[in-house]
Amino acid sequence: MDEARVHISGFRMDFGATTVIRDLSFDVQAGETFGFLGSNGSGKTTTIRALLGIYEPTAGILHINGRGFRPEHGDRLGYLPEERGLYKKEKVIDIMTYFGRLKGMDRRAARQWSLAYLDRVALADKASSLLDKLSSGQQQKVQLGVTIMNNPELLILDEPTKGFDPVNRRLLMDIIAGQKRAGATVVMVTHQMEEVERLCDRVILLKDGTAEAYGTIDEVQNKYGGRIIRIKYSGTIPPSPHYAVLLQETNYAELTITDATDEAAILKDLIDDGVTVRSFTTTKVSLEDIFLRVYGDQNEPDVGPPEAGRRTPDGRLSGDNRISRDGA
Amino acid sequence: MARHNLGTVIGFEFVRTVTKRRFWIGTLAVPVIMAIVFGLIFLSNTTTDTAAEAQKSAQFRISYTDASGLVTAGDAALFRARPAGSPDAGIRAVQSGTVDAYFDFPAHPESTAVRVYGTDRGIFENGKYGAVAQAMLARAVEQKIASPQLSTLAAGKAQIDTVTFEGSRESGGLGTVVPPLIFLVIFYGLIVLLAGQMLNSTLEEKENRVTEMILTTLKPTTLIAGKVIALFAIGLLQMIVFTSPIVIGALFFPGELSLSALDLPPLIFDPVRMTVGFLILVGGFALFTTTLVAIGAVMPTAKEAGNFMGVMMALIFVPFYAVALMVSDPHAVIVQIFTYFPFSAPVTALLRNGFGSLNLLEAGIVIAILFGGAAVMLRLAVRLFQYGSISYTSKVSIRTALRGGSRRPGSGAAPTTPAG
Ligand SMILES: Nc1ncnc2c1ncn2[C@@H]1O[C@H](COP(=O)(O)OP(=O)(O)OP(=O)(O)O)[C@@H](O)[C@H]1O
Ligand SMILES: [Mg+2]
C-alpha cells in the first residue's frame, strides 16, 4: 500500500442532502495509467476535486503519496481540470512561464520549455498572442502544456480529449504516452473507451456512488462475461439460463455468457433448439459494451423496479442479466 | 518554495497590470488634467499680475468720476484716466466705444462699492478693469498717507511669527501637522484608486476558471497575499505618477509655481508621529484590501461586488463628520468609537495623529487592531476564495466557508480523516 500514488478509502461525499459518492475505495500504483470511468454525473470530477483538496470530503481518506494533498507539499502534480481556464488577457508565453515558475522551474527554463512545447503542438507563432485570441482547441493545448510542465510525477486529467479534433487527439495521446514512459502516473477521466483500452493499465467504473467494477481491463472484461458471441442466424433464439441477449436484430444477435458454460455448448444448444446458425464468432467484450450495459438503463424514463428484467428499445436486456454489484 | 512563489505572484500580478495600456491611460490622465489645470491657473495669474503694468502702457482708455475727492488729477494722469462730466456721460461713453472703461468712485468708497463699467473683452480680460480701479484708488490713498511704512501697515501686510510651547518645548504648529497628514492623503489616494481593483482581484480567476489550476499549484494564502502586495505597489506607482508634475514643477520651475505663496511654515518631521502614521497607513491599507478581496471572493460577478463599494467608501469618509471633535475633544465617545472601529480607525487615527491628539498607547492599540483585523480578513478572504471558486456562479455563504475552513488546519500535514 505504501507505494500507492493515490489511495482512496471509504470516501463519501454529500452535497447537502444529496449523496454523490456513497463509499468509494481504490488505489493507483506508481507508474500505472488509470482510467476513471463513469456516466455523466456519476461523481468523477467530484472525486478528483476532493482528492486535490478543492472539495472537503464528507468522510474518507484521500491521499496522494501517503498524505492529504496540499500544493505546498511540493508533490509534482499535473492537473488538467474539467473546467478549463487560464488568464485570458495575458500572452501565452507569459502564462506558461508563470505557471512553470509556480511549479518550481526557474524563469529561463520555464520559458525555454514552453517555447519548445508550443513548437511541438504547432503553436510556435502564438507564443506572444493573448490567450483569448486562440481557438478553444488551441487554448486547450496551452492548458495541457501548463499541466505537464516540470515533469509531473502524477498526472490527473479530467476529460483531456474534450474539444480536440482527431489529429490533435492523437497528438495528445502521444504526449500522455510520453509522460507515462517518463515514469508519470496517469489518472484519466474519459468517455472515449478506445482510448482507455489503448492506454490504461487499470480502470474503475463508478456507478451509484461506488465502484461498479475495478481492476485491469482484462479483469473487468472477464467480470462482464469476458466474451461476446456474435451470431448470424435465422429462426428464434430461445431464452436460456446460460446466456443473455445483448442485441437482437432480424438475422444478427450478440450474446454474453452468464455462467460457466463454454461457447461450444451454447452453439450446440442453439442448433438443438432449431436455430440455423450461419456464422458464430466470439470476441472479447469491449469496454464500450460494458459501459453501455452498466449505464444503458439510466436514461430511461421508465421508473419500474430495476430488478425487473426488461428489454430496452434496442433489444438489450437489463436487470436480470446484470452482474451483482459487489464493488471492489 | 512558498516565499519564492510569493515573489512570483507579486511579479506576475504587478507586471501584468502595469503593462496594460488601460492602466497607463487611467494613470496618466490624472497628471495630464492636473498639468492643464495648473497651466490655466498660471495663465490667469499672469494676466492679473500684469494688469496694472498693461494699463500703464495705456492699452485702454479710461474715464472716471470721483465723489470722494481722494483721486487727484496726478493720480489719474498716472493711469491716463480722464474725468467724465457725469456718471451718465461716463456710461454712455463706454457704450458708444469712445472709452474702454468708466470708474465711478463714490463719496464713501470704504463702505460703498466702486462701480466699474467696461467694454466686454472676455472673462479673463474683464478682470483688468476692476484691478485697475483698485490700483488707482490704492495709489490715491497711498499719496494721502504719504508714508510707505504706514500704508503697508494700513494694508494689513504686517508679518506675524507665532511660537507656541508644549510645556517648555517649542511646538511646531502647522509645520508638525502637515507631514503626518500626508499619510492620510496617501491612504485616501490608495483606497479610492485601488478599491475597484481590490474587489475584482480574484474575479478574473473565478470568471476565467483559473481557480482550480491555481488552487492545486500554490497556497491560496500566497496568491491572496501576493495580490495584496502587488496592489500596494501599483498604488504607490500611481501616487508617484500623480505627484510627478508637482515634484517636477517644484524642482525645475520653483518661481513660476510660487509654492511660497502658500506660506507654509517650515515642515517638521517628528519621527514618532511619522512612524505611527506609516504603520497606520500600512495596517489600514492591508485591512481595507483584504476586506475588499474577501467581498470580491464571495461575489460571482463584478456587478454584484460593486454594490459593496459604496459602503466601504462611506466608511472612510464618515470620520470627517467628527473632525472638529477630534481636535477639540479627542475623548468624546464618538471619537473613541471612530478610533477603534476597524474600518473608521485608519482615517480617524491618521487625523488625530496629525493633530497630535493620539497618544502612543492609543496608537499602539489602533495599529494592533488594524494588523489583527487584516490578518483575520486575509484568512477569511483565502477561505472565501477557496470555496467561492468551486461554485463559480453562486455566492458562497460565509458560514460554509468558515465551517469548511477547518479542513485545512494550520499545522503540518494533517490527513483528511473520516468524520465518524
Ligand atoms: N458544488 C456542488 N454542489 C452541489 N452538487 C454538486 C456540486 N458539484 C457536483 N455536484 C453534483 O455531483 C454530481 C456529480 O458531479 P460530477 O461533476 O462529479 O460528475 P462527473 O462524473 O464528473 O460527470 P461528467 O462526466 O458529466 O463530467 C452531480 O449530480 C452534480 O450535480
Ligand atoms: Mg466531470
Short mmCIF file of all heavy atoms in Angstrom, two decimals, chain A residues 56-105:
data_model
loop_
_atom_site.label_atom_id
_atom_site.label_comp_id
_atom_site.label_asym_id
_atom_site.label_seq_id
_atom_site.Cartn_x
_atom_site.Cartn_y
_atom_site.Cartn_z
N GLU A 56 -14.21 19.50 0.28
CA GLU A 56 -13.99 18.82 1.56
C GLU A 56 -14.81 17.54 1.56
O GLU A 56 -16.03 17.60 1.41
CB GLU A 56 -14.45 19.73 2.70
CG GLU A 56 -14.23 19.09 4.04
CD GLU A 56 -14.96 19.85 5.14
OE1 GLU A 56 -15.78 20.73 4.81
OE2 GLU A 56 -14.71 19.55 6.30
N PRO A 57 -14.16 16.39 1.68
CA PRO A 57 -14.94 15.15 1.66
C PRO A 57 -15.81 15.04 2.91
O PRO A 57 -15.43 15.51 3.98
CB PRO A 57 -13.88 14.05 1.64
CG PRO A 57 -12.66 14.69 2.20
CD PRO A 57 -12.74 16.15 1.87
N THR A 58 -16.97 14.44 2.76
CA THR A 58 -17.82 14.21 3.92
C THR A 58 -17.16 13.19 4.85
O THR A 58 -17.19 13.33 6.06
CB THR A 58 -19.20 13.71 3.46
OG1 THR A 58 -19.68 14.60 2.46
CG2 THR A 58 -20.17 13.64 4.62
N ALA A 59 -16.57 12.17 4.26
CA ALA A 59 -15.85 11.18 5.05
C ALA A 59 -14.86 10.47 4.13
O ALA A 59 -15.00 10.49 2.92
CB ALA A 59 -16.82 10.16 5.66
N GLY A 60 -13.86 9.84 4.75
CA GLY A 60 -12.95 9.02 3.98
C GLY A 60 -11.53 9.55 3.96
O GLY A 60 -11.26 10.66 4.40
N ILE A 61 -10.64 8.70 3.46
CA ILE A 61 -9.24 9.07 3.36
C ILE A 61 -8.93 9.24 1.88
O ILE A 61 -9.21 8.34 1.08
CB ILE A 61 -8.36 7.97 3.98
CG1 ILE A 61 -8.63 7.91 5.49
CG2 ILE A 61 -6.88 8.23 3.70
CD1 ILE A 61 -7.93 6.75 6.17
N LEU A 62 -8.35 10.36 1.54
CA LEU A 62 -7.93 10.59 0.16
C LEU A 62 -6.48 11.06 0.21
O LEU A 62 -6.23 12.20 0.64
CB LEU A 62 -8.82 11.63 -0.53
CG LEU A 62 -10.29 11.26 -0.67
CD1 LEU A 62 -11.14 11.92 0.39
CD2 LEU A 62 -10.81 11.62 -2.06
N HIS A 63 -5.57 10.19 -0.20
CA HIS A 63 -4.16 10.52 -0.07
C HIS A 63 -3.44 10.52 -1.41
O HIS A 63 -3.74 9.72 -2.30
CB HIS A 63 -3.47 9.49 0.84
CG HIS A 63 -3.69 9.76 2.29
ND1 HIS A 63 -3.16 8.95 3.27
CD2 HIS A 63 -4.36 10.74 2.92
CE1 HIS A 63 -3.53 9.43 4.45
NE2 HIS A 63 -4.26 10.52 4.27
N ILE A 64 -2.48 11.41 -1.51
CA ILE A 64 -1.52 11.37 -2.62
C ILE A 64 -0.15 11.24 -1.96
O ILE A 64 0.18 12.02 -1.07
CB ILE A 64 -1.60 12.65 -3.48
CG1 ILE A 64 -2.90 12.64 -4.28
CG2 ILE A 64 -0.40 12.74 -4.40
CD1 ILE A 64 -3.13 13.88 -5.13
N ASN A 65 0.61 10.24 -2.40
CA ASN A 65 1.92 9.96 -1.79
C ASN A 65 1.81 9.87 -0.26
O ASN A 65 2.66 10.39 0.46
CB ASN A 65 2.93 11.04 -2.18
CG ASN A 65 3.28 10.96 -3.65
OD1 ASN A 65 3.17 9.88 -4.27
ND2 ASN A 65 3.67 12.08 -4.23
N GLY A 66 0.74 9.26 0.21
CA GLY A 66 0.65 8.96 1.63
C GLY A 66 0.13 10.07 2.52
O GLY A 66 0.13 9.94 3.74
N ARG A 67 -0.32 11.18 1.94
CA ARG A 67 -0.89 12.23 2.78
C ARG A 67 -1.88 13.06 1.97
O ARG A 67 -1.90 13.00 0.74
CB ARG A 67 0.20 13.12 3.36
CG ARG A 67 1.06 13.72 2.29
CD ARG A 67 2.23 14.47 2.90
NE ARG A 67 3.13 14.92 1.84
CZ ARG A 67 4.20 15.65 2.05
NH1 ARG A 67 4.52 16.02 3.25
NH2 ARG A 67 4.98 16.04 1.05
N GLY A 68 -2.69 13.83 2.70
CA GLY A 68 -3.66 14.69 2.04
C GLY A 68 -2.95 15.70 1.16
O GLY A 68 -1.91 16.22 1.54
N PHE A 69 -3.50 15.96 -0.01
CA PHE A 69 -2.80 16.84 -0.95
C PHE A 69 -2.82 18.29 -0.50
O PHE A 69 -3.85 18.82 -0.10
CB PHE A 69 -3.43 16.75 -2.34
CG PHE A 69 -2.81 17.71 -3.32
CD1 PHE A 69 -1.60 17.41 -3.90
CD2 PHE A 69 -3.42 18.92 -3.61
CE1 PHE A 69 -0.99 18.31 -4.78
CE2 PHE A 69 -2.82 19.83 -4.49
CZ PHE A 69 -1.61 19.52 -5.07
N ARG A 70 -1.67 18.91 -0.57
CA ARG A 70 -1.55 20.36 -0.38
C ARG A 70 -0.53 20.84 -1.39
O ARG A 70 0.52 20.24 -1.54
CB ARG A 70 -0.99 20.70 1.00
CG ARG A 70 -1.83 20.21 2.13
CD ARG A 70 -2.52 21.39 2.80
NE ARG A 70 -2.89 20.99 4.15
CZ ARG A 70 -2.30 21.48 5.23
NH1 ARG A 70 -1.32 22.34 5.13
NH2 ARG A 70 -2.69 21.09 6.42
N PRO A 71 -0.81 21.93 -2.04
CA PRO A 71 0.12 22.40 -3.07
C PRO A 71 1.53 22.63 -2.50
O PRO A 71 2.51 22.39 -3.19
CB PRO A 71 -0.48 23.73 -3.55
CG PRO A 71 -1.69 23.99 -2.74
CD PRO A 71 -2.02 22.77 -1.96
N GLU A 72 1.57 23.06 -1.24
CA GLU A 72 2.88 23.42 -0.70
C GLU A 72 3.74 22.20 -0.34
O GLU A 72 4.90 22.34 -0.01
CB GLU A 72 2.73 24.34 0.51
CG GLU A 72 1.98 23.77 1.69
CD GLU A 72 0.48 24.08 1.65
OE1 GLU A 72 -0.07 24.15 0.53
OE2 GLU A 72 -0.12 24.23 2.73
N HIS A 73 3.16 21.00 -0.43
CA HIS A 73 3.97 19.82 -0.15
C HIS A 73 5.00 19.59 -1.24
O HIS A 73 5.95 18.84 -1.07
CB HIS A 73 3.08 18.57 -0.05
CG HIS A 73 2.33 18.52 1.25
ND1 HIS A 73 1.25 17.70 1.43
CD2 HIS A 73 2.51 19.18 2.39
CE1 HIS A 73 0.79 17.87 2.66
NE2 HIS A 73 1.53 18.77 3.26
N GLY A 74 4.76 20.17 -2.40
CA GLY A 74 5.74 20.04 -3.46
C GLY A 74 5.64 18.74 -4.24
O GLY A 74 6.56 18.40 -4.98
N ASP A 75 4.54 17.98 -4.09
CA ASP A 75 4.32 16.83 -4.97
C ASP A 75 4.25 17.39 -6.39
O ASP A 75 3.59 18.40 -6.62
CB ASP A 75 2.99 16.14 -4.66
CG ASP A 75 2.95 15.61 -3.25
OD1 ASP A 75 3.96 15.06 -2.81
OD2 ASP A 75 1.90 15.76 -2.59
N ARG A 76 4.92 16.73 -7.31
CA ARG A 76 4.86 17.26 -8.67
C ARG A 76 3.58 16.77 -9.34
O ARG A 76 3.49 15.66 -9.83
CB ARG A 76 6.11 16.87 -9.45
CG ARG A 76 7.37 17.60 -8.93
CD ARG A 76 8.40 17.80 -10.00
NE ARG A 76 8.57 16.62 -10.83
CZ ARG A 76 9.33 15.58 -10.51
NH1 ARG A 76 9.99 15.59 -9.37
NH2 ARG A 76 9.43 14.56 -11.32
N LEU A 77 2.57 17.64 -9.30
CA LEU A 77 1.25 17.28 -9.81
C LEU A 77 0.98 18.02 -11.11
O LEU A 77 1.28 19.19 -11.24
CB LEU A 77 0.18 17.68 -8.78
CG LEU A 77 -1.27 17.63 -9.28
CD1 LEU A 77 -1.78 16.20 -9.28
CD2 LEU A 77 -2.17 18.51 -8.43
N GLY A 78 0.41 17.30 -12.06
CA GLY A 78 -0.09 17.97 -13.26
C GLY A 78 -1.58 17.71 -13.33
O GLY A 78 -2.01 16.58 -13.46
N TYR A 79 -2.37 18.77 -13.17
CA TYR A 79 -3.82 18.60 -13.10
C TYR A 79 -4.46 19.35 -14.25
O TYR A 79 -4.25 20.55 -14.41
CB TYR A 79 -4.32 19.12 -11.75
CG TYR A 79 -5.83 19.16 -11.60
CD1 TYR A 79 -6.63 18.10 -12.06
CD2 TYR A 79 -6.44 20.24 -10.97
CE1 TYR A 79 -8.01 18.14 -11.89
CE2 TYR A 79 -7.82 20.28 -10.80
CZ TYR A 79 -8.60 19.23 -11.27
OH TYR A 79 -9.96 19.27 -11.11
N LEU A 80 -5.22 18.65 -15.04
CA LEU A 80 -5.99 19.29 -16.11
C LEU A 80 -7.44 19.25 -15.67
O LEU A 80 -8.10 18.22 -15.74
CB LEU A 80 -5.81 18.52 -17.42
CG LEU A 80 -6.48 19.13 -18.64
CD1 LEU A 80 -5.84 20.46 -19.02
CD2 LEU A 80 -6.43 18.18 -19.83
N PRO A 81 -7.96 20.37 -15.15
CA PRO A 81 -9.32 20.35 -14.62
C PRO A 81 -10.35 20.23 -15.73
O PRO A 81 -10.06 20.55 -16.88
CB PRO A 81 -9.46 21.70 -13.92
CG PRO A 81 -8.20 22.43 -14.09
CD PRO A 81 -7.35 21.70 -15.07
N GLU A 82 -11.52 19.77 -15.33
CA GLU A 82 -12.61 19.68 -16.31
C GLU A 82 -13.01 21.08 -16.77
O GLU A 82 -13.25 21.31 -17.95
CB GLU A 82 -13.80 18.99 -15.65
CG GLU A 82 -14.97 18.79 -16.59
CD GLU A 82 -16.11 18.05 -15.91
OE1 GLU A 82 -16.46 18.42 -14.77
OE2 GLU A 82 -16.62 17.11 -16.50
N GLU A 83 -13.06 22.01 -15.80
CA GLU A 83 -13.34 23.41 -16.13
C GLU A 83 -12.02 24.04 -16.52
O GLU A 83 -11.24 24.45 -15.67
CB GLU A 83 -13.89 24.14 -14.90
CG GLU A 83 -15.19 23.62 -14.40
CD GLU A 83 -16.33 24.50 -14.83
OE1 GLU A 83 -16.18 25.24 -15.83
OE2 GLU A 83 -17.38 24.46 -14.17
N ARG A 84 -11.78 24.13 -17.82
CA ARG A 84 -10.50 24.70 -18.25
C ARG A 84 -10.52 26.20 -18.08
O ARG A 84 -11.56 26.83 -18.15
CB ARG A 84 -10.27 24.39 -19.73
CG ARG A 84 -10.53 22.97 -20.12
CD ARG A 84 -9.34 22.08 -19.80
NE ARG A 84 -9.34 20.94 -20.71
CZ ARG A 84 -9.92 19.79 -20.48
NH1 ARG A 84 -10.54 19.58 -19.33
NH2 ARG A 84 -9.87 18.82 -21.37
N GLY A 85 -9.35 26.78 -17.94
CA GLY A 85 -9.29 28.23 -17.89
C GLY A 85 -7.92 28.72 -17.46
O GLY A 85 -7.30 28.15 -16.57
N LEU A 86 -7.45 29.75 -18.15
CA LEU A 86 -6.19 30.41 -17.79
C LEU A 86 -6.44 31.91 -17.90
O LEU A 86 -7.53 32.32 -18.26
CB LEU A 86 -5.08 29.98 -18.74
CG LEU A 86 -4.63 28.52 -18.63
CD1 LEU A 86 -3.71 28.16 -19.78
CD2 LEU A 86 -3.92 28.27 -17.31
N TYR A 87 -5.41 32.69 -17.60
CA TYR A 87 -5.58 34.14 -17.69
C TYR A 87 -5.76 34.54 -19.15
O TYR A 87 -4.82 34.48 -19.93
CB TYR A 87 -4.38 34.83 -17.06
CG TYR A 87 -4.28 34.57 -15.59
CD1 TYR A 87 -3.51 33.52 -15.10
CD2 TYR A 87 -4.98 35.35 -14.69
CE1 TYR A 87 -3.43 33.25 -13.74
CE2 TYR A 87 -4.91 35.10 -13.33
CZ TYR A 87 -4.13 34.06 -12.86
OH TYR A 87 -4.07 33.80 -11.53
N LYS A 88 -6.95 34.97 -19.49
CA LYS A 88 -7.30 35.17 -20.90
C LYS A 88 -6.61 36.36 -21.53
O LYS A 88 -6.36 36.38 -22.71
CB LYS A 88 -8.82 35.38 -21.02
CG LYS A 88 -9.61 34.11 -20.95
CD LYS A 88 -10.94 34.29 -21.63
CE LYS A 88 -11.58 32.97 -21.98
NZ LYS A 88 -11.56 31.99 -20.90
N LYS A 89 -6.34 37.39 -20.72
CA LYS A 89 -5.82 38.63 -21.30
C LYS A 89 -4.30 38.69 -21.24
O LYS A 89 -3.73 39.76 -21.37
CB LYS A 89 -6.42 39.84 -20.55
CG LYS A 89 -7.91 39.96 -20.73
CD LYS A 89 -8.25 40.47 -22.11
CE LYS A 89 -9.76 40.45 -22.35
NZ LYS A 89 -10.07 40.52 -23.79
N GLU A 90 -3.65 37.55 -21.02
CA GLU A 90 -2.19 37.56 -20.97
C GLU A 90 -1.63 36.81 -22.16
O GLU A 90 -2.31 36.03 -22.80
CB GLU A 90 -1.71 36.91 -19.66
CG GLU A 90 -2.32 37.48 -18.40
CD GLU A 90 -2.18 38.97 -18.28
OE1 GLU A 90 -1.10 39.50 -18.58
OE2 GLU A 90 -3.17 39.63 -17.90
N LYS A 91 -0.35 37.05 -22.40
CA LYS A 91 0.31 36.35 -23.51
C LYS A 91 0.54 34.89 -23.14
O LYS A 91 0.89 34.58 -21.99
CB LYS A 91 1.66 37.02 -23.82
CG LYS A 91 1.50 38.36 -24.46
CD LYS A 91 2.88 38.96 -24.74
CE LYS A 91 2.71 40.37 -25.25
NZ LYS A 91 3.95 41.14 -25.10
N VAL A 92 0.39 34.04 -24.16
CA VAL A 92 0.56 32.60 -23.94
C VAL A 92 1.87 32.29 -23.23
O VAL A 92 1.89 31.57 -22.23
CB VAL A 92 0.48 31.87 -25.30
CG1 VAL A 92 0.90 30.43 -25.15
CG2 VAL A 92 -0.92 31.99 -25.88
N ILE A 93 2.95 32.89 -23.72
CA ILE A 93 4.25 32.55 -23.15
C ILE A 93 4.36 33.03 -21.71
O ILE A 93 4.96 32.36 -20.86
CB ILE A 93 5.40 33.13 -24.03
CG1 ILE A 93 6.76 32.69 -23.53
CG2 ILE A 93 5.33 34.64 -24.11
CD1 ILE A 93 7.05 31.23 -23.72
N ASP A 94 3.73 34.17 -21.40
CA ASP A 94 3.78 34.69 -20.03
C ASP A 94 3.02 33.77 -19.07
O ASP A 94 3.46 33.52 -17.95
CB ASP A 94 3.18 36.10 -19.96
CG ASP A 94 4.05 37.12 -20.68
OD1 ASP A 94 5.21 36.78 -20.97
OD2 ASP A 94 3.55 38.23 -20.95
N ILE A 95 1.86 33.30 -19.53
CA ILE A 95 1.07 32.40 -18.68
C ILE A 95 1.86 31.14 -18.40
O ILE A 95 1.95 30.68 -17.26
CB ILE A 95 -0.25 32.02 -19.39
CG1 ILE A 95 -1.08 33.27 -19.66
CG2 ILE A 95 -1.03 31.02 -18.55
CD1 ILE A 95 -2.25 33.01 -20.59
N MET A 96 2.45 30.57 -19.46
CA MET A 96 3.16 29.31 -19.28
C MET A 96 4.37 29.51 -18.37
O MET A 96 4.64 28.70 -17.48
CB MET A 96 3.58 28.74 -20.63
CG MET A 96 2.38 28.35 -21.49
SD MET A 96 2.82 27.42 -22.96
CE MET A 96 3.21 25.82 -22.26
N THR A 97 5.08 30.62 -18.57
CA THR A 97 6.26 30.87 -17.73
C THR A 97 5.84 31.04 -16.27
O THR A 97 6.50 30.51 -15.37
CB THR A 97 6.99 32.15 -18.22
OG1 THR A 97 7.18 32.05 -19.62
CG2 THR A 97 8.31 32.30 -17.53
N TYR A 98 4.74 31.75 -16.06
CA TYR A 98 4.24 31.96 -14.69
C TYR A 98 3.96 30.63 -14.01
O TYR A 98 4.45 30.36 -12.90
CB TYR A 98 2.98 32.82 -14.76
CG TYR A 98 2.30 33.10 -13.43
CD1 TYR A 98 3.01 33.59 -12.35
CD2 TYR A 98 0.93 32.90 -13.29
CE1 TYR A 98 2.38 33.87 -11.15
CE2 TYR A 98 0.28 33.19 -12.09
CZ TYR A 98 1.01 33.67 -11.02
OH TYR A 98 0.37 33.94 -9.84
N PHE A 99 3.20 29.79 -14.67
CA PHE A 99 2.88 28.50 -14.04
C PHE A 99 4.13 27.64 -13.88
O PHE A 99 4.28 26.94 -12.89
CB PHE A 99 1.79 27.77 -14.82
CG PHE A 99 0.41 28.18 -14.42
CD1 PHE A 99 -0.28 29.15 -15.13
CD2 PHE A 99 -0.19 27.64 -13.30
CE1 PHE A 99 -1.54 29.56 -14.74
CE2 PHE A 99 -1.46 28.04 -12.89
CZ PHE A 99 -2.14 29.00 -13.63
N GLY A 100 5.02 27.71 -14.85
CA GLY A 100 6.28 26.97 -14.74
C GLY A 100 7.03 27.38 -13.48
O GLY A 100 7.52 26.55 -12.72
N ARG A 101 7.06 28.68 -13.24
CA ARG A 101 7.76 29.18 -12.05
C ARG A 101 7.04 28.74 -10.78
O ARG A 101 7.68 28.34 -9.80
CB ARG A 101 7.87 30.70 -12.10
CG ARG A 101 8.70 31.17 -13.29
CD ARG A 101 9.20 32.55 -13.08
NE ARG A 101 10.15 32.57 -11.96
CZ ARG A 101 10.47 33.66 -11.29
NH1 ARG A 101 9.92 34.80 -11.61
NH2 ARG A 101 11.33 33.61 -10.30
N LEU A 102 5.71 28.81 -10.80
CA LEU A 102 4.96 28.36 -9.61
C LEU A 102 5.22 26.89 -9.36
O LEU A 102 5.17 26.42 -8.22
CB LEU A 102 3.46 28.60 -9.80
CG LEU A 102 3.00 30.05 -9.83
CD1 LEU A 102 1.50 30.15 -10.02
CD2 LEU A 102 3.42 30.78 -8.55
N LYS A 103 5.50 26.14 -10.42
CA LYS A 103 5.77 24.72 -10.26
C LYS A 103 7.24 24.44 -9.98
O LYS A 103 7.67 23.29 -10.02
CB LYS A 103 5.33 23.96 -11.51
CG LYS A 103 3.82 23.85 -11.64
CD LYS A 103 3.41 23.34 -13.00
CE LYS A 103 1.91 23.20 -13.07
NZ LYS A 103 1.51 21.84 -13.44
N GLY A 104 8.00 25.51 -9.76
CA GLY A 104 9.36 25.31 -9.28
C GLY A 104 10.45 25.42 -10.33
O GLY A 104 11.62 25.17 -10.04
N MET A 105 10.10 25.76 -11.58
CA MET A 105 11.17 25.93 -12.58
C MET A 105 11.70 27.36 -12.47
O MET A 105 11.01 28.24 -11.98
CB MET A 105 10.61 25.71 -13.99
CG MET A 105 10.00 24.36 -14.20
SD MET A 105 9.05 24.27 -15.75
CE MET A 105 10.33 23.91 -16.94
#
